[in-house]
Amino acid sequence: MHEVDTYKLVFIDGKFSSFLSSTTHEGIDVCLLSSVLTKPKYKTTLETYFNQVAKKDESLTSLNTAFAQEGAYINIPKNKIADKPIEIIYFSTGTEAALMVQPRNLIIVGENAQVHIIERHQSLNSNPVLTNSVTEIFADKSSFVDYYKIQNDVQSANLIDNTYISQNEKSHASVHTFSFGGNITRNNLNFYHKGEYIESTLKGITIIGDKQHVDHYTLVQHATPNCESHQNYKTILSDAATGVFNGKIFVEKEAQKTNAFQQNNNILLSDKATINAKPQLEIFADDVKCSHGCTIGQLDETAMFYMQQRGIPKKEARALLMYAFSNEVIQSIKIPELKQRITKIIANKLGVKMGFEL
């Protein structure tokens, strides 16, 4: 249900599954990173892009660089539009030989090119597993990159996700992160501006319970004038779950006319739930529009009472309020089938059967 017609790169315990995958070299490259690493014709491309934007002083990123064996290679050439979304799926079994997997993705989107990408990490059983993932994305002039991360794993799975995005003039890169499952999840999302009139969009929804833990660490480095960034993260925590939002906007002296917005809203459904929020602005330019905000609270009891007075059961009323809380992020999903899939996951997380997509 709600399946998206995509090119697929499927990996099981870090090893490529050709049977489950659908790759292409027709106009665009959707293939294995390992195949690129061994072909001389890609040597210049690798020297230009591989490990060029990832932080070399970040320990887990360096560990990935040293031990990564496989991952996705996506190259959308100049003026090309990917005819359908690209899906990267990592399955893990947590067997003794695969207690830790380290996928590495390299994505290059050429001038005036466009692509939609979906990434998912999923355990096939309850064995403990740690995934240390690194993704480098290069958005060339006037390109459009639309990236979705779906994290809805079992509670024995742990994920560390480092994503680095380098944007050139007039490019637009958007990353949506949906964190619904797993034991400990850490998302490090870094945007670097390399030209004027760039747009960066960072949005996320986190809905967790039990003793789950999700971190979101974001950085947008405004280094050039006339650029925009928009961050909007929504979190719903129940039981003894813990959430962290540490968002940083860095505006360098040369980045005049910057427009940067950051918002983090959180709902705590339990006295034991914890949120640690730290929105940050570091501004060294004097002609900018920058704002950040954070709210932490509970569901509106007046709204709950109003809905129950009109015949909506308490459980469904709570779910409607939480869905409305998340809806601003959901509405910005540009793939209709994916939007339906996310709303279905949210309904399941909230424990109701409701047609939210209406």
Side-chain angles (χ1 to χ4, degrees):
M1 188 176 182
H2 307 318
E3 284 302 314
V4 187
D5 180 23
T6 61
Y7 295 110
K8 287 182 174 64
L9 291 165
V10 180
F11 303 87
I12 300 176
D13 290 337
K15 297 181 179 179
F16 178 65
S17 172
S18 58
F19 178 74
L20 298 174
S21 300
S22 172
T23 62
T24 184
H25 292 285
E26 297 294 327
I28 63 175
D29 286 322
V30 180
C31 62
L32 306 182
L33 182 60
S34 62
S35 66
V36 174
L37 293 173
T38 58
K39 291 183 179 179
K41 72 174 184 177
Y42 290 106
K43 181 179 179 181
T44 302
T45 300
L46 289 173
E47 290 176 348
T48 303
Y49 295 105
F50 184 75
N51 204 35
Q52 295 304 305
V53 69
K55 289 182 179 178
K56 296 178 177 59
D57 60 348
E58 210 287 323
S59 58
L60 289 171
T61 296
S62 298
L63 183 68
N64 178 283
T65 302
F67 291 99
Q69 296 179 339
E70 196 55 279
Y73 175 76
I74 299 169
N75 192 337
I76 314 297
K78 181 179 179 179
N79 296 326
K80 291 287 186 178
I81 299 176
D83 57 321
K84 56 184 179 181
I86 300 166
E87 199 165 6
I88 307 170
I89 305 174
Y90 289 98
F91 291 118
S92 59
T93 64
T95 56
E96 186 175 349
L99 288 173
M100 183 175 185
V101 291
Q102 304 203 67
R104 182 64 170 253
N105 305 315
L106 177 60
I107 299 163
I108 304 166
V109 185
E111 181 178 343
N112 203 39
Q114 297 183 27
V115 66
H116 300 270
I117 300 173
I118 304 167
E119 176 190 312
R120 180 160 63 98
H121 299 265
Q122 187 68 55
S123 296
L124 299 177
N125 51 43
S126 59
N127 293 335
V129 63
L130 171 61
T131 300
N132 178 32
S133 176
V134 174
T135 300
E136 292 181 285
I137 302 173
F138 295 86
D140 209 342
K141 181 180 178 180
S142 300
S143 63
F144 179 85
V145 182
D146 192 30
Y147 207 103
Y148 300 93
K149 296 176 179 288
I150 303 174
Q151 301 165 347
N152 189 30
D153 215 339
V154 298
Q155 291 195 32
S156 56
N158 301 280
L159 172 64
I160 301 167
D161 185 285
N162 286 285
T163 299
Y164 303 93
I165 302 175
S166 176
Q167 291 185 250
N168 285 345
E169 179 183 356
K170 297 181 181 178
S171 63
H172 184 187
S174 173
V175 177
H176 288 67
T177 305
F178 301 100
S179 301
F180 302 126
N183 178 34
I184 296 176
T185 303
R186 170 70 177 258
N187 292 297
N188 298 318
L189 184 55
N190 305 274
F191 282 72
Y192 301 101
H193 289 185
K194 306 294 184 181
E196 294 189 52
Y197 303 103
I198 289 171
E199 290 187 32
S200 301
T201 301
L202 303 77
K203 294 188 177 184
I205 297 174
T206 299
I207 303 177
I208 54 174
D210 296 325
K211 295 182 180 180
Q212 293 175 289
H213 183 115
V214 172
D215 287 5
H216 292 288
Y217 279 70
T218 68
L219 167 68
V220 181
Q221 187 173 32
H222 287 271
T224 51
N226 301 301
C227 295
E228 296 188 13
S229 66
H230 302 272
Q231 299 186 51
N232 193 355
Y233 282 80
K234 307 281 189 177
T235 303
I236 299 174
L237 304 174
S238 60
D239 304 321
T242 301
V244 175
F245 175 78
N246 191 320
K248 186 174 182 179
I249 297 171
F250 189 91
V251 184
E252 296 187 12
K253 185 177 180 180
E254 296 79 10
Q256 304 293 342
K257 305 293 184 182
T258 289
N259 183 6
F261 168 82
Q262 183 186 84
Q263 185 67 34
N264 172 229
N265 302 109
N266 308 278
I267 291 178
L268 303 182
L269 301 177
S270 164
D271 291 340
K272 296 182 179 180
T274 304
I275 181 71
N276 299 296
K278 187 181 179 183
Q280 303 174 72
L281 297 175
E282 288 193 28
I283 303 171
F284 297 95
D286 54 16
D287 186 9
V288 301
K289 293 181 179 179
C290 296
S291 63
H292 65 142
C294 175
T295 63
I296 301 172
Q298 299 175 328
L299 289 177
D300 188 339
E301 293 297 330
T302 302
M304 284 282 296
F305 178 79
Y306 178 87
M307 296 171 74
Q308 288 180 266
Q309 287 296 305
R310 279 147 184 80
I312 301 175
K314 183 176 181 179
K315 185 177 180 180
E316 282 71 19
R318 282 167 57 92
L320 281 171
L321 287 176
M322 287 187 282
Y323 180 79
F325 173 78
S326 307
N327 193 51
E328 187 178 354
V329 175
I330 297 169
Q331 290 304 311
S332 63
I333 300 173
K334 296 179 176 62
I335 304 173
E337 298 89 347
L338 181 61
K339 183 184 292 187
Q340 294 177 15
R341 183 192 299 177
I342 294 298
T343 56
K344 181 71 173 179
I345 293 174
I346 290 176
N348 289 337
K349 288 291 292 183
L350 300 181
V352 296
K353 295 182 179 179
M354 303 177 69
F356 283 134
E357 56 262 54
L358 298 177

